[in-house]
Structures are given as C-alpha cells and as structure tokens.
Amino acid sequence: MDNKYIEKCIKLAKKAAKKNEVPIGALIIKNNQIISKAYNLREKRKDIMAHAEVLAIKKASKKLKRWNLNDCILYVTLKPCSMCENIINQSRIKQVNYLCDKLDYKKEYNKTTYQPILKKELEDEYKLILSAFFKCKR
C-alpha cells in the first residue's frame, strides 16, 4: 500500500471533521494517478449516501465517463460500511486499501425489517421481465 495515498486520505478526513462530518477520506487511483477524491458530506448535503467512498466513485465515473471502474483502486481511511461495500462491488473496483477497521461504537440503530411480497403470479411476471432484459444484453 502506498503511504502517500493514505496520507492524502487522512488530510481529506481532517477536512470532513472540521465540517462536523464523520472523518473519512477516500481516493480513487488509476494508473498511479489520483482520478477522484472525496470526504464525507452526509450532514452538509442531508444525504444518507454522501459517504466518501460513494462520492469518490461518482466523481471517478463522471471523469472516466463510465460506471465500470475495474481498473481502479480505492484508498479509504476506514473500512467501508456495507452500503459502500455493495456500491464498490457494483462499480467493479479491483482493490480497496483501507487504514483501519471499524471502531466499536456500541450504538444501537433501528433495524429495518425486510419482508418478501408473496404474490407468486407477480413474481413470475417480474422474473420474465428480468430474464428478457438480460437475454437481450448477452
């Protein structure tokens, strides 16, 4: 792991902290060049998804004019949360380098309940739509 990149992430995290944001900084690297950087802006933007990793991915995608970032590496100060992990996986980033694991906050959050809708005929109809869509793509 290249220290210069994680040091830049720490500087971004400090900027976030000064703005009363959770201090997390992220960089996306392609061919040893920084193509995007971001820090948390959830409070400022009033946006639950304004995590450093998500913002960096959006900027990289815009710059490269594509969503597939399979030739990029993400550097981040804190191990990504499950939402960010999923977005990272969907963007096809090839590697994530992080400085430290999550801290144990001992804070209890409301747990969302997921409930399947048991309508077999609607499920079958929707599966046909999905299947037809992906059949055309392959």
Side-chain angles (χ1 to χ4, degrees), residues 53-133:
E53 303 94 324
V54 174
L55 297 173
I57 288 168
K58 285 182 172 187
K59 287 178 182 180
S61 293
K62 186 174 183 176
K63 184 172 185 171
L64 297 175
K65 296 182 172 82
R66 57 187 165 94
W67 63 267
N68 188 327
L69 304 177
N70 65 345
D71 52 353
C72 297
I73 297 171
L74 172 68
Y75 282 81
V76 64
T77 51
L78 189 65
K79 185 177 180 182
C81 70
S82 58
M83 176 189 74
C84 291
E85 276 185 24
N86 282 316
I87 292 168
I88 291 163
N89 289 337
Q90 288 292 317
S91 70
R92 310 293 197 265
I93 287 175
K94 70 178 175 181
Q95 184 177 333
V96 176
N97 296 320
Y98 63 90
L99 184 59
C100 66
D101 284 316
K102 296 202 181 309
L103 304 176
D104 188 10
Y105 295 108
K106 302 280 183 199
K107 187 172 181 180
E108 191 61 37
Y109 292 100
N110 291 335
K111 299 290 182 185
T112 303
T113 302
Y114 291 84
Q115 182 66 40
I117 298 170
L118 302 174
K119 295 283 185 187
K120 183 70 175 138
E121 63 278 358
L122 294 177
E123 180 184 351
D124 290 344
E125 178 185 349
Y126 179 65
K127 284 180 178 177
L128 285 172
I129 293 167
L130 276 177
S131 182
F133 176 83

Side-chain angles (χ1 to χ4, degrees), residues 5-91:
Y5 296 137
I6 207 65
E7 287 169 6
K8 288 179 188 284
C9 287
I10 291 170
K11 285 181 182 178
L12 291 165
K14 287 178 181 178
K15 283 185 180 182
K18 284 181 183 175
K19 296 181 180 205
N20 202 29
E21 298 281 354
V22 175
I24 299 173
L27 298 174
I28 295 184
I29 310 301
K30 180 178 184 266
N31 299 328
N32 295 316
Q33 297 290 329
I34 297 171
I35 60 166
S36 71
K37 58 186 177 179
Y39 52 86
N40 276 9
L41 288 172
R42 197 164 77 161
E43 299 301 324
K44 180 181 181 194
R45 293 190 179 179
K46 310 287 186 250
D47 180 356
I48 192 69
M49 296 190 341
H51 290 206
E53 303 94 324
V54 174
L55 297 173
I57 288 168
K58 285 182 172 187
K59 287 178 182 180
S61 293
K62 186 174 183 176
K63 184 172 185 171
L64 297 175
K65 296 182 172 82
R66 57 187 165 94
W67 63 267
N68 188 327
L69 304 177
N70 65 345
D71 52 353
C72 297
I73 297 171
L74 172 68
Y75 282 81
V76 64
T77 51
L78 189 65
K79 185 177 180 182
C81 70
S82 58
M83 176 189 74
C84 291
E85 276 185 24
N86 282 316
I87 292 168
I88 291 163
N89 289 337
Q90 288 292 317
S91 70

